[in-house]
Amino acid sequence: MGGKISPSVMCADFRHLEENIKILEKARVEYLHFDIMDGSFVPNFTLGPDLMKSVREITDIPFDVHLMVQHPENHIALFDLKPGDIVSVHQESTVHLQRTLQKIKDSGARPAVALNPATPIYSIEDVLDDVNAVLIMTVNPGFAGQKLVPATLKKIAKMKRYLVENGYGHIEIEVDGNVSYENARKMRKAGADIFVAGTSSLFIKGINLLDSALELRRCII
Ligand code: DX5
Ligand code: ZN
């Protein structure tokens, strides 16, 4: 089975959001990635639960919610989550990580833990029974249009090896940040399964959205 595409909605053309989503349906993307930021865990603000509610009314594509917020456990109930959705919380954002992941599971969504580039993969070894996926940030979170942190490519391979060697080969690896066509190929080779696609490969000015999605698909077979 090939890699899965999760378009970063914060990078979409908000003036034509419904049209963008209909095209992404045609491209059969597996998720829609919603970056939620609080201006504290990351120095930016982006999308929120109201926008997600509107998008939920126009598509059945499962949501991939990336909480870049302090104390995510206090905010999970704000989001209208559905079975099949992924919700990622940062290992660095709560002292009660296992309880937070359990809360996501109780909501019916699929829990995932996210790691900033500097956070070691071993920091989550005790919650692997509580997640369906691990999100490896390949840029420092907060903004679109950044450049890959080169060491994260090795980190993806290390994470994959660690998961397989410890009986967690079923856990998917999601990558987020500067997923360009070239980087996507390298990330796929390193073991990534889900690709958050933003300005680097999908929402590129002057390039037809369906064409860019099909091109990305070819890079992650
Ligand atoms: C970064 C965001 C990413 C980003 C991806 O914090 O989480 O989703 O928008 O877009 P590009 O391809 O611009 O890195
Ligand atoms: Zn993200």
Side-chain angles (χ1 to χ4, degrees):
M1 174 161 65
K4 299 172 184 171
I5 298 176
S6 185
S8 179
V9 173
M10 71 180 261
C11 302
D13 178 352
F14 288 174
R15 296 163 304 170
H16 307 287
L17 188 55
E18 181 161 5
E19 191 186 320
N20 274 201
I21 288 171
K22 289 304 161 196
I23 293 169
L24 293 170
E25 283 180 343
K26 262 207 210 99
R28 307 176 73 76
V29 300
E30 285 78 4
Y31 296 99
L32 291 176
H33 187 86
F34 290 87
D35 286 312
I36 310 294
M37 302 181 189
D38 65 358
S40 168
F41 182 71
V42 290
N44 195 5
F45 298 86
T46 47
L47 314 173
D50 293 344
L51 174 81
M52 290 169 59
K53 273 203 189 86
S54 311
V55 174
R56 192 73 92 181
E57 285 164 17
I58 58 171
T59 185
D60 292 332
I61 302 175
F63 287 1
D64 169 24
V65 186
H66 179 188
L67 296 179
M68 287 171 269
V69 302
Q70 298 288 10
H71 312 299
E73 60 272 18
N74 301 337
H75 310 297
I76 290 164
L78 266 176
F79 299 91
D80 158 34
L81 301 171
K82 300 250 181 296
D85 289 349
I86 296 176
V87 179
S88 302
V89 292
H90 273 261
Q91 184 275 353
E92 310 90 350
S93 66
T94 172
V95 288
H96 301 297
L97 180 58
Q98 197 281 334
R99 184 159 64 196
T100 305
L101 292 166
Q102 186 58 50
K103 216 169 172 181
I104 294 167
K105 195 168 184 174
D106 295 347
S107 76
R110 301 168 64 217
V113 57
L115 295 174
N116 286 335
T119 308
I121 64 168
Y122 305 111
S123 65
I124 56 169
E125 62 181 351
D126 294 310
V127 290
L128 293 177
D129 289 331
D130 303 298
V131 297
N132 295 91
V134 175
L135 191 158
I136 292 187
M137 286 306 301
T138 40
V139 297
N140 288 295
F143 298 90
Q146 299 181 91
K147 284 300 162 217
L148 174 95
V149 174
T152 57
L153 286 173
K154 272 202 311 271
K155 184 174 179 178
I156 298 165
K158 197 158 77 172
M159 185 82 249
K160 186 70 182 174
R161 226 179 7 260
Y162 183 83
L163 291 173
V164 169
E165 286 169 3
N166 289 278
Y168 291 100
H170 60 283
I171 291 180
E172 294 185 292
I173 296 178
E174 179 170 0
V175 287
D176 185 352
N178 194 208
V179 178
S180 62
Y181 302 137
E182 185 193 348
N183 288 339
R185 286 191 195 93
K186 293 176 186 168
M187 294 163 170
R188 181 67 177 157
K189 199 154 163 259
D193 304 291
I194 304 171
F195 297 77
V196 176
T199 65
S200 311
S201 52
L202 207 50
F203 301 103
I204 305 172
K205 283 208 178 0
I207 300 198
N208 172 288
L209 182 54
L210 186 57
D211 292 343
S212 55
L214 296 176
E215 176 60 26
L216 176 59
R217 186 70 75 184
R218 280 190 283 274
C219 300
I220 60 175
I221 293 172

